[in-house]
Amino acid sequence: MTFVRGRRLALDVGSVRVGVASCDPDGILATPVETVQRTRDTGDVRRVAELAAEYEVVEVVVGLPRTLRNTEGAAVAAAREFGDAVAGAIAPTPVVYYDERLTTVTAAGALRASGKNGKAARAVIDQAAAVAILQGWLDSTRNRNGGTGE
């Protein structure tokens, strides 16, 4: 698989919020974008589609919260359902899925270590988890391509 140059979005899909991160066109560094509130209608999917258009993304990476035993539960099904809805809204831009075990835990620990607790942390933890998903995906893609990122 050859790395295609361009921005990507990553989504950390939760039941209440979706953390969104993006990267530079060279796929080196992931950064937080925003937290999208989940809605009963398709407003959350529409907002992600707007961000995909605004950032002119070539791909969207959706985190799959598999268990430590590598099984898929309700959270994975919900993430796939949301990812599939986004895929329909942004076609033909591809949506890919990436194993994101422990990204939220890692993000929460990093935020606590930086002095953010409580409400301040909750406001950005989903974005931080999306950054961890995207950075992990970028790093693994770069490794699969011989460390060149291309």
Side-chain angles (χ1 to χ4, degrees):
M1 177 176 132
T2 301
F3 182 82
V4 175
R5 190 174 188 278
R7 292 187 188 280
R8 281 144 177 96
L9 284 185
L11 308 177
D12 177 51
V13 180
S15 59
V16 178
R17 294 173 300 276
V18 177
V20 183
S22 73
C23 68
D24 60 283
D26 292 320
I28 296 170
L29 184 65
T31 57
V33 173
E34 73 176 64
T35 301
V36 175
Q37 290 296 332
R38 294 297 305 268
T39 61
R40 292 184 194 273
D41 61 9
T42 58
D44 47 3
V45 172
R46 281 194 313 270
R47 179 61 189 144
V48 170
E50 289 168 1
L51 290 168
E54 178 183 334
Y55 282 79
E56 299 176 340
V57 301
V58 298
E59 201 164 31
V60 173
V61 180
V62 177
L64 291 182
R66 290 188 172 110
T67 67
L68 292 177
R69 292 184 175 167
N70 198 27
T71 59
E72 296 189 4
V76 169
R80 284 189 191 279
E81 183 179 326
F82 188 81
D84 291 348
V86 169
I90 65 171
T93 303
V95 170
V96 298
Y97 297 92
Y98 180 72
D99 184 352
E100 62 128 321
R101 276 175 271 193
L102 300 178
T103 55
T104 301
V105 173
T106 301
L111 288 170
R112 269 193 308 279
S114 72
K116 290 195 185 280
N117 294 330
K119 279 190 174 184
R122 282 194 300 272
V124 296
I125 195 164
D126 300 301
Q127 292 174 43
V131 166
I133 291 165
L134 186 52
Q135 195 64 58
W137 184 88
L138 291 168
D139 293 346
S140 71
T141 301
R142 194 170 19 262
N143 290 337
R144 281 194 308 268
N145 292 312
T148 64
E150 296 187 37

